[in-house]
Amino acid sequence: MIGFVAALGSWARANGWLTDWLLLLVAIVTAWFALVQIRHARQVQDEQARPYVVVGIRRVTGGIVELYVKNFGSTAAYDVRMASEPAIESVTDPGLTVFDVIPTLVPQDEWSTIWEDRAHERKGAGAPDRFEITLSYRGAPPPPRRTRDDGRAAPGRSSPTAT
């Protein structure tokens, strides 16, 4: 074993240029691998740090049924909107209205309302029992734009727009 190490050392001294190139190749491969791992870690972090908003119904007691929207994610959801086909209507409360937009729904928070207080009457009234409900929302808002003291955009940034 000692003879092999000695032979390897003498070979490396004789072929120094080759070992330099091999060392450079190993460094490049290591850097590429590190960049792939960093990119993957960022992707996983982005997927974990986002809102997960769901809509559902639950029977509370007796014939009371609630409609709810809940954020199960780890960050806030912004501009939460709900669309339903057919429109959500209550048999027992004809004036039922759902939200147009929830500006901010923080993690583990929910919006809920009593949909029906006598759910057993829905079938007899011929009300639909299946709904296609679509939720739309945004994740974290973009970071604020940095500006200089004079109100102009900082170098390398686009200029602020007036609304």
Side-chain angles (χ1 to χ4, degrees):
M1 181 69 172
I2 294 175
F4 173 74
V5 172
L8 187 60
S10 65
W11 179 85
R13 280 188 297 281
N15 298 304
W17 62 272
L18 183 59
T19 56
D20 291 344
W21 282 106
L22 287 174
L23 182 62
L24 178 63
L25 178 65
V26 167
I28 290 171
V29 168
T30 302
W32 175 81
F33 183 74
L35 287 174
V36 167
Q37 291 300 310
I38 289 170
R39 187 175 299 132
H40 179 68
R42 282 186 183 158
Q43 181 181 3
V44 168
Q45 182 182 22
D46 288 345
E47 289 173 3
Q48 289 175 343
R50 65 176 286 262
Y52 286 97
V53 182
V54 299
V55 62
I57 59 170
R58 63 178 159 236
R59 190 172 299 269
V60 181
T61 59
I64 297 176
V65 176
E66 278 187 338
L67 175 69
Y68 70 91
V69 176
K70 184 170 183 174
N71 181 2
F72 286 98
S74 59
T75 60
Y78 299 92
D79 297 327
V80 180
R81 298 174 190 276
M82 181 170 63
S84 175
E85 184 59 42
I88 294 175
E89 295 177 351
S90 172
V91 172
T92 56
D93 181 10
L96 174 74
T97 58
V98 295
F99 61 88
D100 290 327
V101 63
I102 299 174
T104 304
L105 190 62
V106 297
Q108 304 309 312
D109 198 9
E110 76 175 38
W111 171 92
S112 65
T113 188
I114 294 176
W115 182 12
E116 296 288 358
D117 57 0
R118 294 184 301 273
H120 58 278
E121 294 180 11
R122 284 191 67 78
K123 195 168 246 26
D129 59 354
R130 295 200 180 269
F131 297 86
E132 180 80 24
I133 298 176
T134 305
L135 286 175
S136 63
Y137 56 90
R138 290 186 304 109
R145 227 183 299 185
R146 290 183 10 185
T147 58
R148 300 188 323 195
D149 289 341
D150 60 4
R152 295 186 304 170
R157 305 279 183 165
S158 60
S159 61
T161 57
T163 55

